[in-house]
């Protein structure tokens, strides 16, 4: 026991339990009548009665104990305060006796005669409830039936929404219907919102792109072309749209874009697969056979449909052709690609890369000229690169086998270098290079007549970058030709330095480049016809320019990377002030144009909706989404005007001192 506080608490708990049945019984009539005002009034009276009972216990608990417990010797007042030593001693004696004298049964005996159950207070409240009930029954007895057109009490009806998603017919997906929820559906699906109970009136739906729909007597519907969310009765639901994918073409054989068949090959294998997310409507294999060289190349086209399989989504096809079926002969090339179309409402047509099957022709000795360079005419005295390699290898072998004199080695090495230089200059003229790199190789007449004008440019100079040579070949051919010329020049330097062994590597490199030019003598380009737009004969030669777009551009006019309305909106979102007029349209247009990712766009539209609802804490999030759509923000350098006054000049001069 711990003094008066604990004793008073125990007595208050016992008094509360004695009065509790009254409070509970008083609520039953009002609950049965379903009258909220009566229940509120009874609750208020119970609170008043409990406060009055607590005051009664606080004032009289000491006298209750003195009268009911003789062991306390009429000294209960000492539990509240004992100021003298004798009083404190008596208080300790009383507290020691309370453990045995004041148990739970004794507390109930103390409270029972002093706190009544209060059931008499229940009678007036029951009478009041009976009066209210009787008044509620009289109109029903007096008026047997209300008129059909008069509705006395209209109960609130909660609208029940049914969401129906109908995928496009070409997908073959089933139609779904149910309560509001998150839905994944194909692109082009129709979504309907209908009220299950039409008596509820109408309800409003808010879409994330700023549109509002009303569902009532008629259902609201949209065609889903992009992912969005909609809000109804404070809850958001996502419509996630899956775009229709284009067919995927996979060519597994041949494994390389350019497949070189072996000499003597008789077959060629092809294997491919076409897949689509719903169905492949059409797939064709296009074959083009190229035969001939130079300007005498003939192309033959064939088109073959690929058969359908049991699964409409997949078409697998493979075949091992004989070269006779393909019509290929040595030196021919076969180009093929696959074109596929799906069954979408707007069909997607894709075309695979072009693969090449090349059947090499028998090699021809001493043949370096190529149809990629039709201007090259080799004279009879011009030695081939392969012959130069043979001569260099023979010189190295003779130097090892016999003891050749230094003069003989120099003569033979310089002779091979001369042949290499002549061949290099012959190839170099197609890139606009000079005819020689060494002065004095061309013979000039040293006995000019007196007084004759000397043409220094033609006698000692060389022509560079001729107009015809600059545009005769494509860039890839020029690159290969430059590689060959650099290798020839390295080989020539090594031969003139009397080191024929180090000249072999660049000579072989030059030969490989020349052979690459020979193999590139046939270039295949799939041509497509140009269809110009139709000419309107009724407005021809009339000068009518309505609808014509101007290609003129203002001189020195800079494009506006960030619209002014968006800049004003971003600035306003940084504070708590009012936003610009029509700011939701500006934000929705910017988000739809710049944010292509579905998750980012939905997050930005959710922030727009929250800010439109008045959420100040959501403004930084919307500001961040709008700034995320700025790909390249321009840097504006602007001078700030500064006014110079006598005071500022004096201040600046004084500070300098």
């Amino acid at each position: 026991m711990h003094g008066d506080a604990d004793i008073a608490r125990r007595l208050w708990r016992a008094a509360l339990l004695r009065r509790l049945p009254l409070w509970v019984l008083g609520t039953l009539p009002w609950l049965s009548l379903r009258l909220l005002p009566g229940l509120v009034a009874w609750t208020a009276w119970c609170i008043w009665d409990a406060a009055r009972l607590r005051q009664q216990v606080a004032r009289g608990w000491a006298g209750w104990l003195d009268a009911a417990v003789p062991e306390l010797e009429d000294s209960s007042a000492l539990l509240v305060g004992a100021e003298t030593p004798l009083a404190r001693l008596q208080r300790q004696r009383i507290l020691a006796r309370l453990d045995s004298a004041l148990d739970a049964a004794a507390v109930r005996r103390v409270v029972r005669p002093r706190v009544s159950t209060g059931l008499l207070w229940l009678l007036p409240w029951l009478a009041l409830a009976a009066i209210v009930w009787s008044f509620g029954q009289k109109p029903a007895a007096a008026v047997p039936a209300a008129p059909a057109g008069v509705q006395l009490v209209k109960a609130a009806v909660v609208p029940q929404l049914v969401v129906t998603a109908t995928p496009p017919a070409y997908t073959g997906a089933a139609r779904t219907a149910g309560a509001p929820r998150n839905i994944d559906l194909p692109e082009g699906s129709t979504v309907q919102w209908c009220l299950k109970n039409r008596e509820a009136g109408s309800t409003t739906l808010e879409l994330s792109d700023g549109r509002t729909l009303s569902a009532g007597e008629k259902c609201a519907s949209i065609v889903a072309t992009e992912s969005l969310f909609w809000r109804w009765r404070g809850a958001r639901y996502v419509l996630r749209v899956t775009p229709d994918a284009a067919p995927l073409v996979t060519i597994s054989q041949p494994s390389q874009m350019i497949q070189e068949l072996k000499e003597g090959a008789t077959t060629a294998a092809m294997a491919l697969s076409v897949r689509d997310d719903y169905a492949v409507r059409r797939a064709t294999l296009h074959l083009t056979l190229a035969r001939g060289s130079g300007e005498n190349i003939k192309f033959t086209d064939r088109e073959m449909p690929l058969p359908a399989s049991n699964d409409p989504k997949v078409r697998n096809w493979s075949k091992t052709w004989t070269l006779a079926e393909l019509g290929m002969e040595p030196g021919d090339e076969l180009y093929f690609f696959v074109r596929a179309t799906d069954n979408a409402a707007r069909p997607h047509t894709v075309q695979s890369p072009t693969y090449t099957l090349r059947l090499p022709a028998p090699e021809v000795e001493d043949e370096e000229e190529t149809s990629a360079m039709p201007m090259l005419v080799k004279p009879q005295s011009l030695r081939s690169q392969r012959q130069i390699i043979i001569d260099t290898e023979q010189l190295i072998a003779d130097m090892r086998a016999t003891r050749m004199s230094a003069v003989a080695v120099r003569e033979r090495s310089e002779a091979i270098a001369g042949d290499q230089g002549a061949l290099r200059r012959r190839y170099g003229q197609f890139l606009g290079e000079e005819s020689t790199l060494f002065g004095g190789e061309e013979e000039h007449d040293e006995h000019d007549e007196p007084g004759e004008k000397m043409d220094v440019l033609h006698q000692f100079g060389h022509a560079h970058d001729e107009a015809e040579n600059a545009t005769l070949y494509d860039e890839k051919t020029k690159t290969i030709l430059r590689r060959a010329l650099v290798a020839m020049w390295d080989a020539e330097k090594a031969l003139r330095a009397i080191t024929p062994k180090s000249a072999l590597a660049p000579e072989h490199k030059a030969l490989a480049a020349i052979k690459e030019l020979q193999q590139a003598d046939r270039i295949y380009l799939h041509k497509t016809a140009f269809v110009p737009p139709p000419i309107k004969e009724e407005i021809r030669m009339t000068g009518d320019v309505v609808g014509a777009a101007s290609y003129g551009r203002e001189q020195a006019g800079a494009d506006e990377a960030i619209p002014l309305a968006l800049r004003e909106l971003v600035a306003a979102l940084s504070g708590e002030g009012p936003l610009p007029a029509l700011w939701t349209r500006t934000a929705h247009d910017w988000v739809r144009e710049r944010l292509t990712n579905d998750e980012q766009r939905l997050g930005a539209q959710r922030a727009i909706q929250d800010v439109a609802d008045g959420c100040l804490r959501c403004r930084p999030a919307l500001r961040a989404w709008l700034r995320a759509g700025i790909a390249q923000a321009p840097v504006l350098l602007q001078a700030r005007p500064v006014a110079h006054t006598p005071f500022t000049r004096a201040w600046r001069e004084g500070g300098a001192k």
Side-chain angles (χ1 to χ4, degrees), residues 196-274:
K196 188 176 182 181
N197 47 348
R198 300 293 178 87
E199 64 274 9
S202 63
T203 185
T204 302
L205 310 171
E206 300 177 16
L207 302 184
S208 61
D209 56 2
R211 292 180 292 173
T212 57
L213 303 176
S214 178
E217 293 295 330
K218 296 182 178 180
C219 298
S221 64
I222 63 169
V223 177
T225 57
E226 63 179 8
S227 298
L228 52 85
F229 65 84
W230 57 282
R231 185 169 64 172
W232 180 63
R233 300 176 64 85
R236 289 191 178 102
Y237 306 95
V238 180
L239 294 178
R240 195 171 304 279
V241 175
T242 303
D244 185 86
L248 177 62
V249 180
T250 304
I251 297 179
S252 55
Q253 282 188 343
S255 58
Q256 299 178 358
M257 296 288 293
I258 300 178
Q259 183 73 33
E260 192 87 19
L261 300 178
K262 297 181 179 180
E263 294 185 5
T266 58
T267 60
M270 294 184 188
L272 54 94
S273 173
V274 181

Side-chain angles (χ1 to χ4, degrees), residues 175-399:
R175 178 182 179 183
T176 60
R181 65 200 183 279
N182 297 333
I183 304 176
D184 293 339
L185 65 166
E187 182 181 8
S189 301
T190 301
V191 184
Q192 285 187 336
W193 293 269
C194 301
L195 280 180
K196 188 176 182 181
N197 47 348
R198 300 293 178 87
E199 64 274 9
S202 63
T203 185
T204 302
L205 310 171
E206 300 177 16
L207 302 184
S208 61
D209 56 2
R211 292 180 292 173
T212 57
L213 303 176
S214 178
E217 293 295 330
K218 296 182 178 180
C219 298
S221 64
I222 63 169
V223 177
T225 57
E226 63 179 8
S227 298
L228 52 85
F229 65 84
W230 57 282
R231 185 169 64 172
W232 180 63
R233 300 176 64 85
R236 289 191 178 102
Y237 306 95
V238 180
L239 294 178
R240 195 171 304 279
V241 175
T242 303
D244 185 86
L248 177 62
V249 180
T250 304
I251 297 179
S252 55
Q253 282 188 343
S255 58
Q256 299 178 358
M257 296 288 293
I258 300 178
Q259 183 73 33
E260 192 87 19
L261 300 178
K262 297 181 179 180
E263 294 185 5
T266 58
T267 60
M270 294 184 188
L272 54 94
S273 173
V274 181
R275 295 179 179 271
D276 188 67
D277 44 3
Y278 296 111
V280 180
R281 174 181 296 176
R282 187 170 183 268
T284 55
L285 176 65
H286 296 258
L287 305 170
T288 301
L289 180 64
R291 177 172 296 170
S293 62
E295 298 180 357
N296 298 321
I297 299 179
K298 181 181 179 181
F299 294 99
T300 304
D301 294 331
R302 292 171 57 190
E303 181 178 354
M304 184 183 71
L306 299 179
S309 60
N310 296 330
D311 187 359
K313 298 181 180 181
V314 181
R315 291 195 184 186
N316 295 322
W317 180 84
S318 62
K319 182 176 181 180
T320 301
W321 299 85
T322 63
L323 297 186
E325 292 176 335
L326 296 175
M328 294 186 66
E329 297 178 357
D332 293 350
E333 291 182 352
L334 180 70
Y335 314 100
F336 72 93
F337 62 87
V338 178
R339 183 176 293 145
T341 305
D342 63 1
N343 67 332
R346 294 182 177 179
H348 299 90
T349 301
V350 297
Q351 180 175 315
S352 69
T354 301
Y355 282 71
T356 303
L357 292 178
R358 180 177 295 164
L359 185 61
E363 293 188 3
V364 180
E365 294 291 335
D366 300 333
E367 184 69 24
E368 279 88 14
E369 60 266 38
T370 168
S371 61
M373 297 182 294
M375 297 288 295
L376 178 58
V377 179
K378 184 178 65 173
Q380 296 296 330
S381 58
L382 187 62
R383 309 190 71 181
S384 67
Q385 184 66 28
R386 184 179 288 103
Q387 187 62 43
I388 292 174
I389 294 174
I390 295 174
D391 293 345
T392 305
E393 292 176 347
Q394 185 63 40
L395 175 59
I396 295 172
D398 293 344
M399 291 173 61

